[in-house]
Amino acid sequence: MHLDAAAGLLVLAGVLGFAVARPRGLPEAVAAVPGAALVVAFGLVSWSQVRDEVVALAPTVGFLAAVLVLAHLADEHGVFGYAGEVIGGLSRGSPRRLLRLVFVLASIVTAVLSLDATVVLLTPVLLSTATRIGVRPRPHLYACGHLANTASLLLPVSNLTNLLAFDASGLSFTRFAALMAAPWLAVVAVEYAVLRRVFAADLGTPAPATTPAATPRTPPPWYAIGVLAATLAGFALSEPIGVHPAWIAAAGAIGLAVPRLTSTPAAEARRLVSAANLPFGAFVFALGVVVLAVRAGPVGDAVDHLVPGHAGLLGMLGAAVLAAVLANLVNNLPATLMLVPLVAHQPGLVLAVLLGVNIGPNLTYVGSLATLLWRQVLHSRDHPPGAGEFLRLGALTVPACLLAGVATLWASLRVF
Amino acid sequence: MRIVVWVTEGTWQACVDTARDLPATAVTLVHVIDPDTIEAIGGARAGLLGRGLTGDAGTLAALTDGQTRLLDAAEDRLGRTARRDPRHGRPEREVVAACAGADLVILARDGDRSRLGPRSIGPHTRFVVDHAPCQVLLVWPDTPPDPATLPPPHR
């Protein structure tokens, strides 16, 4: 039994180590899929368990692929570029005004199109906005990086962790959003207060006398904005009539794809498949199987003992802190896969775990301790990143966000 | 007089204007790209486990473009030829290093501009003021605050 537990942990460590180090830039699935095969070969997980896990994860992975394609197409339609121009103009060159606008934009983009969209698509746009209007980019980029995690609390689509927990929570799309709305606002407010203070010097510079044009040069991409708004409305309206929100995301993606498929269909289809990031889907399936092997053993039992049994204020705080610690030890995807089944009986605890796994990664700013250490090793020969500032920012925001998030979630559960 | 001007977003105009009015034999415009800015993006990408993301996504190129544009604008505003010193590293240390052999460094206050006091100098600026191996000219980036904002004396 102990040998089995060690084998499961070793495979998980190998899969995560590979994903962090990415030798030769190979996709993470290259280690994860053989890892999953290995735990089956060792007899740690039976074929029927694998089948059940894959069936349980399939809607989540499909939903994820649809949201990734939706965000990619929104970018191709120029939504992010346009948003960058709009907030650049509205800021009139003032760094503080720009920060407020970045907070609004990054929170909305993360909530509606997921944290991947904020990190991969929105952040480069905001970097170019900041350099174009001549403000120091650093606070705005930190804001984006932090909000990609903290602002991903609102909707099931905002973060893969939410998608993984959503079906287990038994909550409807709208109830999930209603319960998470107050925590979402609270943690974004905490982030704003801290960043505003930490970057007081960078944000205190005057706006230049000649400010950028207030009106964007490009016309607004109305069609794409309309499709995104309809998709968002569809998420809320589809469930009562028995349609899983994944289908709505797929419909939204098709709505955005159609006008682009007419000119060069083959090349566009290839881009869409690449945006759906199929190796990532394979990674999630394989990671699910490997974590299943660990969860079934003594490690799962030990974590189960630590999980609070009751969704009171203290119980939820305990669950959130445990989730945040686990997320920083092994990254938040395995932490979610590990914890969610253990708390699935109580929606309050599921949401508290999500607070932990979504807010927690900001503590190490790169998602986990392993990633942080690996980056320090990688950069030790050239410019070691000034991790001190990042860690200080994480230490200031994460505990405060967890407290604010849990307190508001507790209050929300009393109201709704 | 050999003058170094620290060109940084938001405050460079006041520094360049000050340099323009001084009898300089040579002016060096120094701008520093902070690796932390690149890491802010790189770290967020590294946090997305499993997505197969690589590299810095053109961050350095975007920052280098911004640096070039800023130095162009500073040279234009100065109205004379200047030596350009684009750097990459910890801003406060790079600026001190750029001051080697200079007679004067011009830099601006950043931070709280609403009142007189130490909060009108950010940490990087303070480091350069404290460590510069030459004379230091510290300017307000816009109109200085009213003398009435001076805090009352400690009793």
Side-chain angles (χ1 to χ4, degrees):
Chain A
M1 186 66 203
H2 284 301
L3 214 61
D4 283 0
L9 277 178
L10 220 58
V11 173
L12 180 62
V15 167
L16 292 178
F18 187 94
V20 166
R22 299 275 313 283
R24 292 164 194 257
L26 287 168
E28 295 84 343
V30 166
V33 173
L38 219 52
V39 296
V40 176
F42 285 164
L44 301 178
V45 178
S46 70
W47 274 110
S48 67
Q49 282 176 303
V50 172
R51 201 187 50 231
D52 290 349
E53 182 72 8
V54 168
V55 167
L57 285 177
T60 299
V61 173
F63 203 169
L64 173 75
V67 173
L68 289 175
V69 172
L70 190 68
H72 161 82
L73 285 165
D75 186 42
E76 297 267 293
H77 278 269
V79 171
F80 296 108
Y82 177 74
E85 280 191 43
V86 167
I87 68 166
L90 287 176
S91 76
R92 300 198 298 278
S94 156
R96 287 181 195 165
R97 217 174 289 133
L98 183 65
L99 186 72
R100 284 197 287 275
L101 293 160
V102 164
F103 260 75
V104 172
L105 183 59
S107 300
I108 292 173
V109 167
T110 305
V112 176
L113 290 170
S114 90
L115 82 167
D116 290 58
T118 297
V119 171
V120 179
L121 305 171
L122 180 64
T123 307
V125 167
L126 291 181
L127 170 62
S128 91
T129 300
T131 55
R132 184 167 47 82
I133 66 174
V135 305
R136 302 179 186 180
R138 207 162 48 116
H140 311 289
L141 300 179
Y142 272 93
C144 258
H146 264 233
L147 288 172
N149 288 318
T150 40
S152 72
L153 293 173
L154 184 64
L155 303 177
V157 287
S158 313
N159 197 325
L160 174 56
T161 53
N162 300 2
L163 287 174
L164 290 172
F166 176 50
D167 285 327
S169 74
L171 297 165
S172 71
F173 195 97
T174 38
R175 187 159 150 74
F176 184 103
L179 290 172
M180 286 302 229
W184 179 68
L185 287 172
V187 297
V188 169
V190 169
E191 290 280 3
Y192 181 74
V194 174
L195 261 78
R196 185 73 173 65
R197 213 178 157 75
V198 169
F199 293 109
D202 286 335
L203 295 167
T205 59
T210 48
T211 51
T215 44
R217 287 162 297 171
T218 49
W222 283 125
Y223 176 73
I225 293 171
V227 170
L228 290 178
T231 308
L232 191 60
F235 285 145
L237 301 175
S238 64
E239 259 194 343
I241 52 167
V243 178
H244 194 277
W247 294 112
I248 304 298
I254 291 168
L256 288 183
V258 166
R260 303 190 59 80
L261 279 170
T262 45
S263 49
T264 51
E268 186 60 32
R270 271 197 300 277
R271 277 202 290 277
L272 292 185
V273 171
S274 130
N277 204 344
L278 301 181
F280 181 30
F283 175 76
V284 175
F285 280 126
L287 190 64
V289 172
V290 174
V291 170
L292 187 63
V294 174
R295 200 174 62 222
V299 176
D301 296 343
V303 175
D304 198 11
H305 276 298
L306 290 172
V307 173
H310 190 67
L313 184 57
L314 279 181
M316 291 201 298
L317 189 61
V321 170
L322 176 69
V325 170
L326 210 54
N328 277 291
L329 287 179
V330 295
N331 212 300
N332 65 357
L333 292 186
T336 310
L337 289 166
M338 176 81 89
L339 287 171
V340 162
L342 302 177
V343 295
H345 50 288
Q346 299 197 56
L349 287 181
V350 174
L351 296 180
V353 162
L354 285 180
L355 288 177
V357 292
N358 291 351
I359 296 168
N362 277 345
L363 197 59
T364 43
Y365 86 90
V366 287
S368 75
L369 215 53
T371 313
L372 179 69
L373 293 175
W374 177 248
R375 283 182 88 74
Q376 292 291 323
V377 171
L378 266 190
H379 290 288
S380 59
R381 260 178 289 171
D382 51 334
H383 286 287
E389 187 176 53
F390 290 97
L391 294 177
R392 195 163 59 94
L393 201 61
L396 285 170
T397 54
V398 168
C401 282
L402 283 178
L403 282 176
V406 169
T408 42
L409 176 61
W410 180 80
S412 285
L413 282 163
R414 296 286 158 297
V415 175
F416 299 107
Chain B
M1 185 163 58
R2 286 156 300 175
I3 298 179
V4 169
V5 179
W6 184 5
V7 174
T8 167
E9 294 86 347
T11 58
W12 62 272
Q13 293 93 334
C15 299
V16 168
D17 291 353
T18 308
R20 202 172 43 202
D21 299 339
L22 291 172
T25 52
V27 177
T28 301
L29 301 169
V30 56
H31 178 274
V32 190
I33 292 175
D34 187 347
D36 274 2
T37 308
I38 300 165
E39 184 61 9
I41 293 184
R45 290 171 68 87
L48 294 180
L49 186 79
R51 272 76 157 185
L53 296 177
T54 47
D56 75 334
T59 311
L60 182 59
L63 287 170
T64 309
D65 276 355
Q67 183 176 53
T68 308
R69 279 202 303 273
L70 209 56
L71 289 173
D72 285 345
E75 201 168 353
D76 263 6
R77 194 171 174 115
L78 188 66
R80 56 170 286 184
T81 331
R83 197 174 82 82
R84 298 154 67 110
D85 188 3
R87 284 170 178 258
H88 181 257
R90 290 191 175 192
E92 71 281 19
R93 293 189 176 267
E94 291 296 324
V95 172
V96 169
C99 291
D103 299 302
L104 176 73
V105 58
I106 304 177
L107 68 169
R109 290 173 187 266
D110 44 12
D112 185 2
R113 289 170 296 113
S114 64
R115 74 195 70 215
L116 299 167
R119 288 188 178 206
S120 64
I121 305 177
H124 290 167
T125 308
R126 183 169 300 283
F127 185 93
V128 177
V129 168
D130 288 344
H131 298 85
C134 62
Q135 306 299 328
V136 174
L137 182 47
L138 181 63
V139 302
W140 285 95
D142 51 3
T143 320
D146 194 284
T149 61
L150 190 69
H154 288 293
R155 296 180 67 79

